[in-house]
Amino acid sequence: AKSLLDTELKLYKVEFTKLVLKVAAIQQDLDNLQQTCLELQSQISAKKTLVQSLRQDVVNSKKVDGYKEEYEALAKMANHRPSRAILEKRLLLAQKQMQVAISTEQSLQEELDIRQAQFNTLMQCMLDLKASVQQENTSTAEDDKNGGNESEEEEGAVPMDTT
């Protein structure tokens, strides 16, 4: 009985050792799993950061693509229009033409003023001549009534300007 009990105790001791070893192995597996879990969480966090970074890159890329399209549209429009140098030359030419037109207008206006003054002088001379002719006609008619002697003396005289 003692040997049976001893055998039984040894068996229990072996079973107990097996349990201790199993607990140690399970503890080791648990530690490994916890370490793996931490590594996975760290990797998940890194992947989330990478995904956010990639999403931001996609947003930035879309913005850049939009800017490129806008730039290309503006460049296309700019290529269809004349260059700045050509426009500046055209502007300079137009300004010169405008200056020529202004100086021509001024000279024509001066000539018009002179012609207007000449015309006014001519009209005044014509009016004076008409008045002189009318006065001469009236004076000739009066002389014819008065006897005609005085009219011969006045025929050689130049009438005076009444203006």
Side-chain angles (χ1 to χ4, degrees):
K2 183 177 172 186
S3 110
L4 207 52
L5 196 56
D6 245 357
T7 310
E8 247 275 348
L9 272 173
K10 284 184 183 179
L11 283 176
Y12 281 123
K13 190 176 178 184
V14 169
E15 285 296 318
F16 184 70
T17 305
K18 277 172 49 177
L19 284 176
V20 168
L21 289 175
K22 280 184 181 178
V23 166
I26 291 173
Q27 185 64 39
Q28 184 65 32
D29 286 344
L30 181 63
D31 290 342
N32 287 342
L33 286 175
Q34 285 177 345
Q35 182 63 33
T36 304
C37 184
L38 289 175
E39 288 173 5
L40 287 175
Q41 285 177 348
S42 173
Q43 289 176 358
I44 288 171
S45 175
K47 297 297 179 186
K48 283 182 179 180
T49 305
L50 179 63
V51 166
Q52 283 181 334
S53 173
L54 291 175
R55 282 183 181 163
Q56 188 62 40
D57 288 347
V58 166
V59 168
N60 291 340
S61 177
K62 286 182 180 180
K63 283 183 182 178
V64 168
D65 289 345
Y67 293 150
K68 282 182 182 177
E69 288 176 12
E70 183 179 352
Y71 170 79
E72 288 172 359
L74 290 172
K76 193 175 191 181
M77 187 177 14
N79 287 334
H80 289 293
R81 295 177 185 234
S83 70
R84 180 179 179 156
I86 292 171
L87 291 176
E88 286 176 349
K89 287 179 183 177
R90 286 181 185 172
L91 178 64
L92 186 60
L93 180 63
Q95 287 174 341
K96 286 180 182 178
Q97 289 173 344
M98 190 169 68
Q99 287 296 331
V100 167
I102 288 172
S103 66
T104 303
E105 180 189 12
Q106 287 173 348
S107 65
L108 289 174
Q109 185 63 42
E110 289 171 1
E111 188 177 335
L112 179 65
D113 292 343
I114 291 170
R115 298 284 176 151
Q116 185 69 36
Q118 289 173 344
F119 180 74
N120 289 339
T121 304
L122 177 64
M123 290 303 291
Q124 187 61 45
C125 285
M126 288 175 66
L127 289 174
D128 290 345
L129 183 60
K130 182 180 177 183
S132 173
V133 167
Q134 284 177 351
Q135 185 178 16
E136 196 173 296
N137 285 343
T138 56
S139 117
T140 305
E142 286 178 11
D143 285 344
D144 286 340
K145 289 181 185 178
N146 289 338
N149 288 343
E150 295 175 12
S151 65
E152 289 176 6
E153 293 174 8
E154 291 182 5
E155 283 181 19
V158 176
M160 291 186 66
D161 190 14
T162 58
T163 58

